[in-house]
C-alpha cells in the first residue's frame, strides 16, 4: 500500500534527477519499478511484475492529491505484467497542454484493475490505455476529461470492462475499443460529454444502463 498525503507531486522533477545521476544503474537495483527514457527526454515510471498494489490519496482532505509528469511521451504511471492493481482518490495528468502521445495511465498485460474516485485529465492522448491482454478493469465514481483522443484506448481485451457512476467529458474524441468475444464492455449510470456521446450513443459494442447523454 502506498498512500500519498494531499498535495501536488511533479514526478518528473524527481525521476529526471535520479535518471541523470544513476541511469540504468537505478533500474538494476530496483526489480519492480523501472525508469524509462521517453522520446522527448522525459522519464516514465514503469511498475512491473507486481501482484497486489494499492496506491491511494487522502480522500478525507479538502486538498486534492495530484500526480503529474512533464513529458508528453510517457504515462504518469505505467503498469506491465501486473495483477490486482487498485488506484484510489488521485488526480493525474500531464503538465503541458497540446498534442500528447501517451495516456495518463497505461496497463500492459495486466488484470484485475480497480480505479475509484479518480480524476484523469488531458493533454493525455487517453485517460487510460489497456493493451495486450489486459482485462477485468473496473472504474467507479471517476472522471476522465479533456483528453486528446478520448477517455480510453482498449485493444486486445479480455474479461470485463465496467464503468459505474463515471463522467466521460470534454475530450476531443470518443476513445477506442476493439470488441472481441473474450471481453465485455458496460457503462452503468455514467454521463457522457458531446464528443463521447457522438461516438458511443449508437455504438453496439457496449451495454449502457441508465446513462446520461449530451445532445448529438
Amino acid at each position: 500500500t502506498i498512500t500519498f498525503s494531499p498535495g501536488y507531486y511533479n514526478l518528473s522533477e524527481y525521476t529526471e534527477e535520479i535518471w541523470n545521476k544513476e541511469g540504468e544503474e537505478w533500474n538494476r537495483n530496483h526489480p519492480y519499478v523501472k525508469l524509462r527514457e521517453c522520446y522527448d527526454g522525459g522519464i516514465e515510471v514503469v511498475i512491473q511484475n507486481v501482484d497486489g498494489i494499492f496506491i491511494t490519496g487522502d480522500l478525507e482532505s479538502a486538498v486534492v492529491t495530484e500526480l503529474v509528469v512533464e513529458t508528453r511521451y510517457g504515462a504518469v504511471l505505467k503498469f506491465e505484467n501486473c495483477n490486482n492493481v487498485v488506484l484510489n482518490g488521485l488526480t493525474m495528468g500531464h503538465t503541458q497542454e497540446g498534442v500528447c502521445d501517451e495516456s495518463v495511465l497505461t496497463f500492459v498485460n495486466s488484470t484485475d484493475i480497480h480505479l475509484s474516485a479518480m480524476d484523469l485529465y488531458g493533454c493525455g492522448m487517453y485517460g487510460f490505455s489497456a493493451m495486450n491482454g489486459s482485462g477485468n478493469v473496473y472504474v467507479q465514481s471517476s472522471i476522465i476529461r479533456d483528453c486528446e483522443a478520448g477517455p480510453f484506448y482498449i485493444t486486445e481485451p479480455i474479461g470485463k470492462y465496467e464503468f459505474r457512476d463515471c463522467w466521460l467529458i470534454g475530450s476531443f474524441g470518443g476513445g477506442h475499443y476493439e470488441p472481441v468475444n473474450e471481453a465485455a464492455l458496460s457503462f452503468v449510470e455514467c454521463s457522457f460529454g458531446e464528443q463521447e456521446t457522438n461516438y458511443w450513443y449508437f455504438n453496439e459494442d457496449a451495454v449502457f444502463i441508465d446513462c446520461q447523454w449530451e445532445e448529438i
Side-chain angles (χ1 to χ4, degrees):
T1 298
I2 300 171
T3 302
F4 283 88
S5 297
Y8 181 85
Y9 298 85
N10 187 333
L11 300 185
S12 293
E13 292 180 356
Y14 174 74
T15 56
E16 290 179 14
E17 179 181 357
I18 294 298
W19 184 258
N20 291 334
K21 289 181 178 178
E22 302 182 37
E24 288 295 343
E25 182 65 24
W26 194 95
N27 286 338
R28 286 189 285 270
N29 293 328
H30 295 80
Y32 298 112
V33 182
K34 306 295 182 183
L35 301 182
R36 185 174 296 165
E37 190 169 13
C38 303
Y39 178 78
D40 61 356
I43 303 299
E44 182 179 58
V45 177
V46 183
I47 299 173
Q48 297 180 335
N49 307 317
V50 172
D51 188 350
I53 182 170
F54 180 30
I55 304 176
T56 181
D58 183 357
L59 292 175
E60 306 263 334
S61 173
V63 179
V64 301
T65 305
E66 185 170 3
L67 278 61
V68 302
V69 293
E70 295 178 4
T71 174
R72 293 185 179 183
Y73 290 86
V76 179
L77 289 178
K78 177 176 284 185
F79 296 84
E80 296 180 346
N81 308 314
C82 292
N83 299 296
N84 299 311
V85 177
V86 179
L87 299 176
N88 178 65
L90 299 169
T91 297
M92 305 176 72
H94 294 80
T95 61
Q96 300 187 50
E97 297 180 357
V99 177
C100 195
D101 198 48
E102 183 56 275
S103 300
V104 179
L105 289 170
T106 297
F107 302 96
V108 180
N109 191 34
S110 297
T111 59
D112 296 319
I113 298 160
H114 296 261
L115 309 177
S116 62
M118 299 290 290
D119 183 354
L120 308 179
Y121 64 86
C123 72
M125 193 72 175
Y126 300 93
F128 74 85
S129 293
M131 304 177 290
N132 299 68
S134 294
N136 294 332
V137 178
Y138 301 91
V139 187
Q140 183 171 2
S141 301
S142 295
I143 301 172
I144 305 179
R145 57 185 172 91
D146 305 327
C147 292
E148 286 293 314
F152 50 79
Y153 177 88
I154 300 171
T155 182
E156 299 181 41
I158 61 172
K160 291 184 178 180
Y161 285 78
E162 181 182 283
F163 294 78
R164 184 178 292 270
D165 187 31
C166 292
W167 294 263
L168 312 177
I169 57 175
S171 294
F172 296 101
H176 178 81
Y177 173 68
E178 295 181 5
V180 297
N181 292 333
E182 295 78 16
L185 174 63
S186 62
F187 300 87
V188 181
E189 298 179 351
C190 293
S191 297
F192 293 80
E194 181 180 356
Q195 293 299 327
E196 295 84 354
T197 294
N198 287 338
Y199 184 85
W200 287 104
Y201 189 79
F202 295 108
N203 196 307
E204 298 180 353
D205 294 328
V207 173
F208 304 93
I209 301 174
D210 296 332
C211 291
Q212 300 293 321
W213 307 91
E214 288 282 346
E215 291 187 10
I216 298 178

